[in-house]
Amino acid sequence: NAGVTQTPKFQVLKTGQSMTLQCAQDMNHNSMYWYRQDPGMGLRLIYYSASEGTTDKGEVPNGYNVSRLNKREFSLRLESAAPSQTSVYFCASSEALVSSDQETQYFGPGTRLLVL
Amino acid sequence: DQQVKQNSPSLSVQEGRISILNCDYTNSMFDYFLWYKKYPAEGPTFLISISSIKDKNEDGRFTVFLNKSAKHLSLHIVPSQPGDSAVYFCAAIRAQKLVFGQGTRLTINP
């Protein structure tokens, strides 16, 4: 079991370029999430998918789009990257949306994105 | 509006001593609280949790205490080991989402 995998590990973009961050999980989880982590800010939820075919906005969705391609894969797209999107991006998955401390979220290793 | 706050960015503790990491929250409607541990270049991993109806939960060297009247929780690690050096995030569950604190970097010195 690889758990949650993310590609790429590191990316440098110029302002205005687009890119897609890929995430896949092999735990047969229903719910998947995208977070960003900035210094001094903790992890903030960008978008999430409660189940295959559904996506919803989190706390900081502006400038991003997502696609739940199938049960395994959840991608995050930056259509026109901005320096403010420089961050570390984490994908996570869980059996279901967290309604108690029994539904643990499992995180990928992160993608470090630098927008110049 | 930072609903979950970890006011200490870093903490340094001697090996074998107790490490105490603190977390404050503002929303009294949080149902559960969790602690995650993060090593460099890795994603966070779940460590321990507590329900809002309890005041203590213990798992080996790790104990989480919840003081609802003060809206405060703490993570105690006893005894501290070098492998405990990591960033620790406090998180709360509300409306089926996790709300994270800023994290505290714990360094265990030999």
Side-chain angles (χ1 to χ4, degrees):
Chain A
N1 269 0
V4 180
T5 56
Q6 293 182 234
T7 55
K9 284 187 169 53
F10 179 70
Q11 183 73 46
V12 180
L13 290 179
K14 294 181 180 178
T15 296
Q17 286 185 318
S18 62
M19 81 161 293
T20 299
L21 282 67
Q22 307 286 355
C23 173
Q25 52 90 8
D26 61 3
M27 295 174 281
N28 202 35
H29 285 166
N30 291 299
S31 302
M32 298 185 73
Y33 314 80
W34 276 105
Y35 293 88
R36 59 178 289 174
Q37 184 197 0
D38 301 297
M41 295 291 291
L43 282 80
R44 291 182 294 168
L45 184 64
I46 305 171
Y47 269 94
Y48 66 100
S49 170
S51 60
E52 188 178 353
T54 70
T55 60
D56 285 288
K57 295 179 181 179
E59 181 187 353
V60 288
N62 291 345
Y64 306 95
N65 284 301
V66 290
S67 295
R68 184 73 183 267
L69 305 169
N70 47 55
K71 192 171 185 179
R72 287 187 65 246
E73 298 172 289
F74 189 37
S75 63
L76 179 72
R77 182 159 178 85
L78 287 72
E79 290 291 350
S80 179
S84 61
Q85 294 178 304
T86 292
S87 188
V88 181
Y89 291 85
F90 290 100
C91 178
S93 72
S94 58
E95 278 198 33
L97 288 181
V98 287
S99 56
S100 78
D101 56 348
Q102 302 307 307
E103 279 99 26
T104 307
Q105 286 190 10
Y106 295 84
F107 286 82
T111 294
R112 189 173 294 274
L113 176 67
L114 175 62
V115 183
L116 301 174
Chain B
D1 176 26
Q2 190 79 27
Q3 296 186 61
V4 178
K5 298 180 184 180
Q6 294 175 258
N7 293 317
S8 297
S10 62
L11 176 67
S12 187
V13 174
Q14 198 166 1
E15 183 179 356
R17 298 287 185 99
I18 182 171
S19 295
I20 300 175
L21 295 97
N22 294 304
C23 179
D24 297 299
Y25 60 96
T26 57
N27 191 336
S28 58
M29 299 300 289
F30 285 137
D31 302 311
Y32 301 91
F33 301 90
L34 305 90
W35 285 93
Y36 279 80
K37 178 179 180 179
K38 184 186 178 304
Y39 292 119
E42 294 183 11
T45 56
F46 170 74
L47 186 59
I48 191 170
S49 63
I50 188 167
S51 164
S52 60
I53 63 172
K54 296 184 178 179
D55 54 19
K56 177 182 174 181
N57 187 28
E58 193 171 353
D59 183 2
R61 296 187 297 115
F62 303 92
T63 304
V64 57
F65 295 92
L66 176 61
N67 182 336
K68 282 194 295 184
S69 61
K71 294 192 178 69
H72 176 84
L73 66 155
S74 60
L75 174 67
H76 293 211
I77 306 173
V78 183
S80 300
Q81 298 175 354
D84 296 329
S85 294
V87 177
Y88 290 78
F89 289 99
C90 170
I93 295 175
R94 175 72 181 135
Q96 297 183 313
K97 298 181 192 65
L98 285 177
V99 180
F100 284 88
Q102 307 97 308
T104 297
R105 182 178 302 278
L106 175 64
T107 302
I108 305 303
N109 301 308

